[in-house]
Amino acid sequence: MSLIVVGSVAYDGVETPHGKVDRMLGGAATYISLAASYFTPVKVVAVVGGDFAREDTDLLVSRQIDLTGLERVPGGKTFFWAGVYSADMNDRTTLRTDLNVFADFNPKLPASYRAEPYLFLGNIQPALQRGVRAQLDAVRLTGGDTMNYWINDFRGELLETLKQWDFLLINDSEARLLSGEQNLRRAAARILEMGPRTLVIKRGEYGAVLFQGGRHFMAPGYLLEDVFDPTGAGDSFAGGFIGYLAGRGIDPSHGDLDFAELRRAVIYGSVMGSFCCEQFGVDRFRTLTREEIDARYSEFKNCTDF
Amino acid sequence: MSLIVVGSVAYDGVETPHGKVDRMLGGAATYISLAASYFTPVKVVAVVGGDFAREDTDLLVSRQIDLTGLERVPGGKTFFWAGVYSADMNDRTTLRTDLNVFADFNPKLPASYRAEPYLFLGNIQPALQRGVRAQLDAVRLTGGDTMNYWINDFRGELLETLKQWDFLLINDSEARLLSGEQNLRRAAARILEMGPRTLVIKRGEYGAVLFQGGRHFMAPGYLLEDVFDPTGAGDSFAGGFIGYLAGRGIDPSHGDLDFAELRRAVIYGSVMGSFCCEQFGVDRFRTLTREEIDARYSEFKNCTDF
């Protein structure tokens, strides 16, 4: 049983206080898939241009990621994003966004994907997210991400889409924007009324909070000694979170997602986000092993238990 | 065995999005003592003016806080501070600071204080902090707080003072300033070389991190549904932390402070800081019970365990 991941596969130009890379593999679906691939088989749905390099395909394939749904537009160019981070890396400024072939992305699922039970919808137009879900015959668990743009300008469509989701995974500023509440607990209560029965709010270096019903679980952020590049950390969190749940064969069709499993999924998400920051772009995933992941999970336990 | 708390007892004028109070009891020593008083007997060293109200003395006495060391200057006025908080309450602007009698504060310990083993030095001039410690005959555990002003303008004196401390408890911006390191883990490593073998870095609503040797412990901030007034939250954290350790009869003279006890002390600190924010000024301490504290401690465990 596989996880379907839908979203952007891109090239990024990134500058952090630790260095500058003009063009490297990036995109939400890339990070989500790489992180999830340590826990479960992954099938990607995305679009790239004729400039998409063989070595980048090879990296994804080396992690057993199924690329049948990776559409190639030979005459087009791959989505390109460039940004620069502030000294403390808590803020970034976008220098360039060339949507290229991503502008016309209309995800179509290959026949070989349609029986899969797990779906993570990366940040794309809400109606497209809904369209993807409709192509699955036996979806068991649906969740995803969104962003300020859709919350502000496509609110109606987004709310329609959210009704079908089991979980929503967004950052704190998006949660405040979506709910209209400044306080995180109140924001969560409002969002849980919109459809998803589980909500994860990411707080960057400060960790994440999981909400379900009247309960919540707080995970502090892993304290890294060196943050080289935070790009993709939130998507790697998402990949660890959904990857862990899919790998465990979770089935919420008879009620809420198991809260103990969700707690562990949040920690695995934090672990994957922390590894992502240790090198530029996706580089950490070139060498990362499941043993290192489990060791950091144990370290997390050690650093939070009382 | 009692805890000696040294620092400011003041009147505050505070404005938050939830309201405005022109003048109410405040000061670091006030919050530290009130919070610590739930765990251990407390003896205060501070100075107030002739305007210090009987009802404020009564509140402290109602918590069994020993005021023998509370100096009164009949012709002077009590330290007054006024500030206004931003909409998200993560920033505040100081509107007024009248040091008044606090400007000439030169703490002298009553004879009845000198045999006590536990000392918490609130944020005052580092040489004065050193002078207080010298007046104790059998001090077992010393720790305290400082601020940007002393770190910048009295660095030499502060470093001399820190050499005698078992623990330092400061916020993240102070830790960065003191160490010259942006990264929290590196900052902690540098500070632990300055003398204190235990360091607690407070991160406001995001919790706190405890460092000792090569180990650390992360406590997320308690998620409040309503933050009425964050004034005194950091000092209440300090009071819960040192109060718990003193109440447990901790004796680090044969080595490091016990790490398991320190973890629990950090959580009690977080618990006391969270209660402090629930009402204006010290108001929450007028009704707070030890049972409520222990219930929130359990809730913390529930919200962080995985």
Side-chain angles (χ1 to χ4, degrees), chain A residues 217-228:
Chain A
F217 167 69
M218 300 179 283
Y222 182 82
L223 277 192
L224 281 167
E225 206 149 327
D226 284 300
V227 175
F228 273 90

Side-chain angles (χ1 to χ4, degrees), chain A residues 34-150:
Chain A
L34 284 169
S37 72
Y38 288 87
F39 305 93
T40 190
V42 176
K43 301 184 174 192
V44 166
V45 182
V47 63
V48 294
D51 58 345
F52 198 69
R54 175 64 183 267
E55 61 180 29
D56 295 321
T57 311
D58 288 350
L59 173 66
L60 298 171
V61 169
S62 78
R63 296 283 330 142
Q64 281 78 49
I65 295 167
D66 186 337
L67 300 183
T68 312
L70 182 68
E71 186 190 347
R72 288 146 205 272
V73 182
K77 290 177 83 177
T78 302
F79 180 13
F80 180 76
W81 174 85
V84 56
Y85 286 85
S86 63
D88 67 1
M89 284 183 273
N90 283 328
D91 292 301
R92 71 180 187 193
T93 307
T94 291
L95 300 176
R96 200 165 148 182
T97 306
D98 301 336
L99 289 176
N100 297 330
V101 297
F102 194 62
D104 301 314
F105 182 42
N106 191 356
K108 273 176 284 303
L109 269 56
S112 61
Y113 282 30
R114 300 197 175 176
E116 300 301 348
Y118 300 109
L119 175 61
F120 191 90
L121 294 154
N123 162 35
I124 57 173
Q125 214 272 4
L128 292 182
Q129 291 177 321
R130 214 155 60 241
V132 172
R133 190 176 183 279
Q135 296 173 54
L136 284 169
D137 300 323
V139 65
R140 187 189 283 182
L141 180 67
T142 306
D145 193 5
T146 189
M147 70 182 291
N148 294 0
Y149 178 58
W150 312 122

Side-chain angles (χ1 to χ4, degrees), chain B residues 47-222:
Chain B
V47 63
V48 292
D51 58 343
F52 197 70
R54 175 64 185 268
E55 60 181 29
D56 295 321
T57 311
D58 288 349
L59 172 66
L60 299 171
V61 168
S62 77
R63 295 285 328 143
Q64 280 78 48
I65 295 167
D66 186 337
L67 299 182
T68 312
L70 181 68
E71 188 189 345
R72 288 144 205 271
V73 182
K77 289 176 83 176
T78 302
F79 180 14
F80 180 77
W81 173 86
V84 56
Y85 286 84
S86 61
D88 68 1
M89 282 182 274
N90 282 328
D91 291 301
R92 71 179 186 195
T93 307
T94 290
L95 300 176
R96 197 163 152 185
T97 306
D98 301 336
L99 289 176
N100 297 330
V101 297
F102 193 62
D104 301 315
F105 182 41
N106 191 357
K108 273 178 283 303
L109 268 57
S112 62
Y113 282 31
R114 299 197 175 176
E116 300 301 348
Y118 300 109
L119 175 61
F120 191 91
L121 294 154
N123 162 36
I124 58 172
Q125 212 273 3
L128 292 182
Q129 291 178 321
R130 214 153 63 241
V132 172
R133 190 176 185 278
Q135 296 173 54
L136 285 169
D137 300 324
V139 66
R140 187 189 282 182
L141 180 68
T142 306
D145 191 6
T146 190
M147 71 182 289
N148 293 2
Y149 177 58
W150 312 121
I151 298 172
N152 280 325
D153 294 1
F154 290 75
R155 192 175 180 84
E157 281 196 17
L158 176 62
L159 292 177
E160 200 55 38
T161 298
L162 288 182
K163 285 182 190 161
Q164 299 181 322
W165 290 13
D166 297 291
F167 69 88
L168 171 65
L169 203 161
I170 52 180
N171 69 34
D172 42 7
S173 71
E174 290 157 353
R176 291 186 169 111
L177 186 65
L178 178 59
S179 65
E181 294 278 357
Q182 179 64 31
N183 178 283
L184 227 52
R185 244 172 127 155
R186 291 175 182 276
R190 291 287 296 274
I191 293 169
L192 291 177
E193 291 166 0
M194 296 176 186
R197 295 174 71 168
T198 298
L199 170 67
V200 180
I201 299 181
K202 296 174 289 180
R203 307 170 99 188
E205 66 164 315
Y206 299 113
V209 192
L210 162 72
F211 297 90
Q212 185 195 66
R215 295 175 293 188
H216 71 273
F217 167 68
M218 300 179 283
Y222 183 82

Side-chain angles (χ1 to χ4, degrees), chain A residues 185 223 263 301 305-306, chain B residues 185 223 263 301 305-306:
Chain A
R185 246 173 125 154
L223 277 192
R263 289 170 189 248
K301 208 170 181 60
D305 208 32
F306 67 89
Chain B
R185 244 172 127 155
L223 278 193
R263 288 169 190 248
K301 209 171 180 61
D305 207 31
F306 67 90

